[in-house]
Amino acid sequence: MRRNSAKILADGRAVNWLGANFWSRTGGPLMWRNYDGQTVLSELSVLREHGLTVTRSFFYWPDFMPEADRIDEELTARFADFLDRHAEMGMVTVPTFVVGHMSGENWDPSWRHGRDLYSDVWMVARQAWFAGEMVRRFAAHPAVCGWLITNEMPIYGGEAPRETIASWAQIMVDAVRAAGGHQPVSLGDGAWGIEISGKDTGFSVADSARLCDFIGPHVYPVGTDQVRQHYAAAWACELATTFGRPVILEEFGVSSDFASDENAAHYYRQVLHNSLLAGATGWLGWCNSDYDDLIHQDPYRHHAFELHFGLTDSRGVPKPQLEEMKAFADILNAADIAHCERADSETALIVPAYLDTSFPFTEPGDRTYLAQTLHQAYVSARLADLAPALTRESGGVTDGARLYLLPSAKHLLSPTCYDLERLAAGGATVYASYSPGDNDNHPGPWSSRLNAMFGIRHTLHNGLVDPIEDDQVTFTFTRDFGAITAGARLTFSVAGSAYSRAYLPVQPDGADVIAVDSRGRPALLLRRTGAGSLVLCTYPIEHMAAATPEVNPEATSVLYDALAVHAGVRRLITVEDPRVATDILVHQDGTRFAWLVSQAAEAVAVKPQLAAGLRLSAIDGDTANGEVALVPFGVGVFRLAGGEEITSGQ
């Protein structure tokens, strides 16, 4: 299956954006009042020396538009100088128009008077006029490489009906185009729509993809598991890629008040490489500088941690995060990443329609439940070296995979059951794990063919779930399965609500039991059909892992590996250590690059297992034989030579 690798285009050429969101240390959001071109040039030069070529810049709206029909020309002249400084450094920027929210505070122009930003026609016209005026002034400048309509508008303008948001966005994008903005444009909303977060704010990523040239997730995860943290931005990017547009990780970062220098560097390294492998084609860290001289200025006065998100300190000295950006830039250049695509995948992770669609008489929490469960399943698949392609049930499950994963999904559309059986009969392996959901809205499997699909007879009781009795559940395999031998055991942590901490009581009715739980009940069952098979797990193992702190890596990745072997999934490179994940990018000239990403807190040495005829070499061409050494949370990038030569996208 294809994995989206769409690129931003500049003058018809594929490019990668690597840079930072930019506020000068002379004033943060108020930098235009205290603008100092030499300071800006110094700040840009440090970024440029570390391989960064792009900034995201901001028209602080209350200052640039002090009256409803007037632009502050002095500030626009300063912005013109700002662009000239970029050009002097060989850099470009993405200006952002409606900047009313920033770093923990909302600021209104004095003339807004509470008028609605989306549905008040006069207010929408004022925003469109402002965007058009900025485009007319600066679209011809060579330092402008794109446009963003807002900064995190769901926080500033709030939620609204989807039709209202889409209409506002259409008017704003049209204003940019009508004014001569030929560069790529997007909303700057954070891509926090229902299709990614499960929360319906009215900002739809699907609608944005129809209007915009790229999707730009903003990701600042808070969680209970470090590996999930390291894959949070990648997961958001992966979901965003399903809409076919280029994906820019528009905001990510870490305050030095929340993480040590060493751990901040680890986080940056993990986010950059994992999101690249998830389809991102641009990265804009938050942000370029610390702001210790602005402690008396809002928002830094009351959101003190916002002072220290910088890639440099407040004197311009690089922090370890910036060194990670430089190392990443070197890899991008060495691999000529703008001309690489993600290798195809033979594993598909199904995204149920209940994540991205508001169905009647259902619970909003069903969507956030799915978002968390799917994120964990994605981590497990990554640690099993599967690099799954995502397929959204709402658009129809895509053909072409050897293995389909449907983790802990309570809801399934009725036609999908027949589609999955068809895929299995055609030779695929379809895996699903049971879940009754985590609330009291008809707890149980919303599936029209559970018994017939999986060759079972469930013994559920109406309105009740069957609680898991123990704090851990152990599967014992009764036969060989994939790489797992008969008698082997897998142990899973048990977690969840009074409804979701439940198993599915079944009796086989045409299926073979391949593993039992500690009480002898069927835990994994396999039904063969046509040229393929369907595998049912009677425990919500992915959901339980998602609800467990510091759980990764855990046994689900071992099961996924066994499923892949059973399904005949072809992987060119794997690593036995479940803390190390592999993936492949393919250059348009056929060169393959292999990534090894470690989740180990200590240095590790691993011996990659390669498909027949392949050999590993350093990215600079030196031979890499035997073991590969990785520093704590380290990344290794290698050339994968030999075997059948391929081109990207095959």
Side-chain angles (χ1 to χ4, degrees), residues 3-351:
R3 296 188 290 165
N4 180 28
S5 300
K7 309 293 186 186
I8 290 285
L9 298 179
D11 299 323
R13 297 180 301 105
V15 296
N16 295 106
W17 288 349
L18 181 64
N21 290 265
F22 190 96
W23 287 119
S24 178
R25 61 180 179 265
T26 60
L30 305 184
M31 65 173 278
W32 306 108
R33 302 178 188 178
N34 309 299
Y35 182 76
D36 184 323
Q38 284 303 119
T39 299
V40 166
L41 188 63
S42 173
E43 292 169 321
L44 292 176
S45 67
V46 174
L47 300 181
R48 189 70 183 88
E49 288 166 5
H50 288 77
L52 278 59
T53 59
V54 184
T55 69
R56 178 183 174 212
S57 50
F58 304 90
F59 298 118
Y60 178 61
W61 200 24
D63 283 358
F64 274 85
M65 194 174 174
E67 298 175 23
D69 57 356
R70 182 171 71 85
I71 305 295
D72 189 307
E73 298 299 344
E74 183 177 358
L75 296 193
T76 58
R78 293 175 181 177
F79 193 82
D81 181 80
F82 178 76
L83 294 179
D84 291 343
R85 305 289 179 169
H86 277 73
E88 184 177 345
M89 293 303 306
M91 299 178 71
V92 291
T93 192
V94 185
T96 308
F97 302 118
V98 181
V99 182
H101 170 78
M102 184 56 59
S103 301
E105 188 162 351
N106 290 343
W107 290 278
D108 275 335
S110 60
W111 46 268
R112 179 186 170 189
H113 301 304
R115 299 178 75 149
D116 188 79
L117 292 165
Y118 311 127
S119 60
D120 184 310
V121 65
W122 181 83
M123 196 71 212
V124 174
R126 293 299 84 210
Q127 296 170 74
W129 176 77
F130 175 67
E133 285 298 304
M134 295 298 100
V135 171
R136 276 184 280 272
R137 285 167 168 80
F138 302 120
H141 199 290
V144 174
C145 65
W147 307 99
L148 287 167
I149 302 300
T150 76
N151 181 60
E152 298 180 353
M153 198 67 162
I155 298 177
Y156 182 44
E159 300 178 6
R162 178 174 174 176
E163 297 83 359
T164 302
I165 299 291
S167 298
W168 164 83
Q170 179 78 68
I171 292 168
M172 295 300 294
V173 171
D174 285 351
V176 173
R177 296 296 184 224
H182 58 278
Q183 299 90 342
V185 63
S186 191
L187 293 187
D189 62 316
W192 295 331
I194 186 173
E195 301 91 344
I196 291 179
S197 68
K199 185 174 186 225
D200 189 3
T201 63
F203 281 83
S204 162
V205 181
D207 291 347
S208 296
R210 285 188 284 270
L211 285 171
C212 300
D213 298 304
F214 61 92
I215 305 297
H218 296 193
V219 186
Y220 299 96
V222 174
T224 59
D225 182 274
Q226 187 170 39
V227 183
R228 283 197 295 264
Q229 289 286 94
H230 287 167
Y231 277 101
W235 174 237
C237 292
E238 195 83 66
L239 285 165
T241 65
T242 61
F243 297 98
R245 292 293 190 185
V247 173
I248 304 296
L249 188 52
E250 206 168 82
E251 280 194 28
F252 71 97
V254 56
S255 171
S256 297
D257 299 323
F258 291 160
S260 68
D261 283 351
E262 181 182 23
N263 289 329
H266 292 160
Y267 180 74
Y268 257 76
R269 184 188 313 138
Q270 290 281 327
V271 168
L272 291 165
H273 287 277
N274 288 331
S275 61
L276 167 67
L277 299 175
T281 190
W283 304 265
L284 300 173
W286 188 273
C287 55
N288 64 297
S289 180
D290 286 351
Y291 303 104
D292 290 289
D293 293 336
L294 305 179
I295 60 173
H296 298 292
Q297 176 184 306
D298 291 345
Y300 310 114
R301 180 180 62 87
H302 51 74
H303 275 57
F305 65 89
E306 294 282 0
L307 289 164
H308 298 132
F309 272 92
L311 293 170
T312 73
D313 68 15
S314 58
R315 297 295 174 262
V317 177
K319 293 161 67 174
Q321 297 92 299
L322 186 54
E323 300 299 337
E324 290 296 333
M325 294 282 271
K326 183 180 187 302
F328 186 63
D330 292 342
I331 292 292
L332 297 184
N333 291 331
D336 185 23
I337 213 73
H339 296 101
C340 290
E341 294 187 0
R342 298 192 288 170
D344 292 350
S345 178
E346 294 188 340
T347 301
L349 178 60
I350 299 172
V351 179

